[in-house]
Amino acid sequence: MLKGIDPLLNADLLYVLRAMGHGDDLVIADANFPSETMATRKLIRMDAADGPRVLKAILSVMPLDDFVPDPALRIAVVGDEGSVPEVCAEYGTLVSEASGGKVQLGQIERFAFYERSKKAFAVIATGETRLYGCILLKKGVIRPGE
């Protein structure tokens, strides 16, 4: 146990978050996502946790990139891009809260999400069973004094 660190952040995940650099991508994937296939670098399994719980823990220690327009992206619903699944609404709230309202959750087409996932620093496979429960995060910087 560590003081001030969410206990969901295990040693493997903390290592990945610390090793990532500015601009690196991290995928939080739902249970249906082809995580083993997409994780070309590192796969972390967190099957007992749902997506929002994992996202909240990660955002407690990882800054989002404020040099790009969309540092947090979800998969757009196929055939209904205007739809916002419940899990994605939860992601949007968590992203907004963690960034002090500076970042809104964007969306990206499914196969474009897959391509970005293959290049991600790591993929975290969660036990999230709700469809479209995947999110891609771009790591930001911590400025001096923060």
Side-chain angles (χ1 to χ4, degrees), residues 85-133:
E86 177 187 358
V87 66
C88 295
E90 290 177 39
Y91 287 158
T93 299
L94 291 168
V95 165
S96 180
E97 288 173 354
S99 68
K102 295 177 185 173
V103 177
Q104 301 303 309
L105 183 62
Q107 69 178 5
I108 185 172
E109 187 271 333
R110 176 181 166 213
F111 292 108
F113 187 98
Y114 285 6
E115 288 306 310
R116 291 268 305 265
S117 296
K118 291 176 188 175
K119 298 173 187 170
F121 191 91
V123 174
I124 301 167
T126 72
E128 179 58 63
T129 58
R130 292 175 287 181
L131 299 180
Y132 296 98

Side-chain angles (χ1 to χ4, degrees), residues 38-59:
M38 296 297 166
T40 59
R41 295 182 182 173
K42 179 77 173 164
L43 173 65
I44 298 174
R45 298 212 65 93
M46 300 190 81
D47 299 301
D50 67 21
R53 178 68 182 92
V54 172
L55 177 62
K56 183 176 181 178
I58 288 170
L59 292 177

Side-chain angles (χ1 to χ4, degrees), residues 22-26 59 62-75 95 99 102-109 113 116 135-140:
H22 177 226
D24 281 337
D25 286 338
L26 178 71
L59 292 177
M62 188 184 96
L64 294 173
D65 194 342
D66 59 5
F67 290 101
V68 297
D70 292 308
L73 295 165
R74 65 174 178 92
I75 296 177
V95 165
S99 68
K102 295 177 185 173
V103 177
Q104 301 303 309
L105 183 62
Q107 69 178 5
I108 185 172
E109 187 271 333
F113 187 98
R116 291 268 305 265
I135 184 171
L136 189 142
L137 306 172
K138 186 169 288 294
K139 186 176 182 183

